[in-house]
Amino acid sequence: MKPLLHYDESMLDNREKFDDDFFKRFELRHGEQPLQLDDHISKNYLFPTFYSDVTCAIGIFFCSYEKAERMMIDPRMKPIRMPKGRSLVIFSCYEYKNVLGIPPYNEIAMTIPVMVDAGWNPPVLPMVLEKLFPSFGYYVFSMPVTSLENRIRGHKIWGLPKEVQEITITNTANQCVTEAKEEDGTPYFQLSIPTEGKLTSFDVSSHLYSKLEGELLKSETHFKGNFHVQKNMKSLWQTGGKVENPILKIGDSPSGKVLQELEIEEVPFQTRYTKSMNSCFDLAKEKVGVKS
C-alpha cells in the first residue's frame, strides 16, 4: 500500500463494520479532548480504536539479549530473557481493512517482550504465564505505517515511533509476504509467513509500552482470531541455525541497519497467520510509576 499522505476533517462513517460480539466487550468513549492533527484540523476520535477483518502475519525470532537491552528507552524496562543469552523480537504485520472512523492502512509493529519495574524477572516464564506477571508487555521500538493521519495519532496520543512508509502485504497460496520500503523507495524489510499450520484460537489481552513527553505509558491491546501456527521448539535450545531461504530478509538501509544490530537469528521461533481477526487498541491505562 502506498502511503496515504492526505486527510480531512471528516470521520469515516463505518460503525456497521464492528457488530461482532468481540467489540461489544468494550465501551466506546471520546478522548479527553479532540486531537489537533495540524494547524487547521482536529478530530474527536472514539476509543478504543476498533479494527475488524484484519489480516495478520507474525514472525517471532530470537535475538541478542545484550543488543535488545541497548534498545530500551527506560532503565526500568528489561527484555525477557531466553536461553543462550537471547531475547525475542516480534514482527506483527497488519492489513487493517476496517478501522473505526479512519480509512484502511497497513502497519508493522516491531516489538520486544519486556518486564517493567519487576522485582523478579525470570527467563521464559512471562511469555507463557503472562497473567501472572502484571508488568509484562511489549516495547514498540519501530512502527512503520502507511497513513500520515495514524502517524500523527501514534506520536501525539501514545508516543509510538510511527513513521510513514510504503508497506505491501501480499497473500499467495501458502505465504503472506510483507515488504517495507524506506522513504526513498529502498526495500529494507521482507517477511514471508506461511499461511499453513496448526489452527489455534487466540483471545488475548496484553499491554504495549511507549514513551510520551518523558512518561512511560502502558496501553491495553486486545485481539481475537484463529491463527495458523508453526513452532520450532528446538530453536529454544539451539542457536545459530541456518535455512536455505530465510523468511526474514533485512536490507542495508538506515532502517535495516537498526534491525541488523539485534543479531536476529534466521530460524523463527514461531510464525502465526490469520486472514481475518478482530482487535482494538485503547488509550494508555496508566503512566508507569504514577498511581492511576
Side-chain angles (χ1 to χ4, degrees):
M1 179 180 285
K2 294 288 186 181
L4 180 61
L5 301 177
H6 304 286
Y7 54 83
D8 56 33
E9 67 278 359
S10 64
M11 297 284 286
L12 191 63
D13 184 11
N14 61 350
R15 288 285 290 269
E16 77 282 356
K17 300 289 187 180
F18 306 94
D19 60 355
D20 188 88
D21 284 345
F22 170 83
F23 299 107
K24 296 175 183 177
R25 304 176 186 178
F26 309 100
E27 182 178 353
L28 286 170
R29 78 277 184 201
H30 291 286
E32 292 184 0
Q33 59 186 16
L35 178 67
Q36 196 73 37
L37 293 171
D38 57 33
D39 291 341
H40 306 287
I41 297 175
S42 66
K43 290 190 179 184
N44 197 12
Y45 296 103
L46 286 168
F47 298 96
T49 303
F50 285 169
Y51 308 88
S52 71
D53 192 21
V54 181
T55 294
C56 179
I58 299 173
I60 305 174
F61 296 84
F62 289 105
C63 67
S64 162
Y65 180 89
E66 178 185 355
K67 297 301 178 65
E69 189 174 32
R70 289 182 187 177
M71 296 188 74
M72 299 295 101
I73 55 172
D74 190 286
R76 295 169 293 173
M77 182 184 292
K78 299 295 181 183
I80 299 299
R81 290 188 180 274
M82 302 300 284
K84 307 289 185 178
R86 298 174 296 173
S87 186
L88 291 172
V89 58
I90 303 173
F91 301 105
S92 303
C93 308
Y94 302 106
E95 182 183 10
Y96 292 128
K97 306 183 194 75
N98 301 304
V99 188
L100 182 60
I102 305 169
Y105 63 95
N106 292 348
E107 184 174 76
I108 306 172
M110 303 183 182
T111 64
I112 296 172
V114 298
M115 296 274 278
V116 176
D117 264 343
W120 183 45
N121 187 7
V124 184
L125 283 179
M127 295 297 303
V128 294
L129 298 172
E130 183 173 339
K131 292 183 179 179
L132 298 183
F133 296 89
S135 67
F136 173 80
Y138 298 87
Y139 162 52
V140 186
F141 67 88
S142 181
M143 200 172 232
V145 63
T146 59
S147 165
L148 176 59
E149 181 176 357
N150 281 280
R151 181 191 72 81
I152 297 170
R153 276 169 44 96
H155 283 199
K156 289 191 173 183
I157 299 173
W158 295 280
L160 288 166
K162 294 196 177 193
E163 295 300 332
V164 178
Q165 295 179 353
E166 180 179 344
I167 302 170
T168 58
I169 299 177
T170 307
N171 287 281
T172 65
N174 57 9
Q175 281 188 330
C176 180
V177 181
T178 300
E179 184 177 68
K181 297 180 180 179
E182 301 277 16
E183 186 176 351
D184 64 2
T186 303
Y188 74 91
F189 173 92
Q190 185 183 87
L191 181 64
S192 302
I193 296 297
T195 58
E196 300 175 346
K198 183 180 179 182
L199 195 60
T200 306
S201 295
F202 288 86
D203 191 348
V204 175
S205 298
S206 192
H207 295 98
L208 294 185
Y209 286 104
S210 59
K211 207 164 195 177
L212 180 65
E213 298 177 350
E215 296 281 0
L216 194 61
L217 302 186
K218 184 178 183 180
S219 306
E220 288 188 344
T221 180
H222 310 264
F223 70 89
K224 183 179 181 180
N226 297 318
F227 286 74
H228 297 272
V229 178
Q230 293 190 18
K231 298 179 181 180
N232 295 307
M233 298 306 294
K234 289 183 179 180
S235 66
L236 191 61
W237 304 105
Q238 297 176 355
T239 64
K242 299 292 183 180
V243 292
E244 184 176 346
N245 188 24
I247 69 168
L248 176 64
K249 297 177 181 178
I250 300 171
D252 290 325
S253 70
S255 297
K257 289 178 179 177
V258 172
L259 299 177
Q260 290 176 5
E261 281 291 315
L262 285 169
E263 299 178 5
I264 302 169
E265 296 186 2
E266 287 188 9
V267 178
F269 179 46
Q270 189 176 131
T271 63
R272 303 175 184 175
Y273 171 80
T274 182
K275 187 176 181 180
S276 181
M277 72 167 187
N278 293 319
S279 65
C280 72
F281 184 50
D282 210 343
L283 296 170
K285 180 180 179 181
E286 61 182 275
K287 294 180 179 179
V288 179
V290 179
K291 293 184 178 180
S292 57

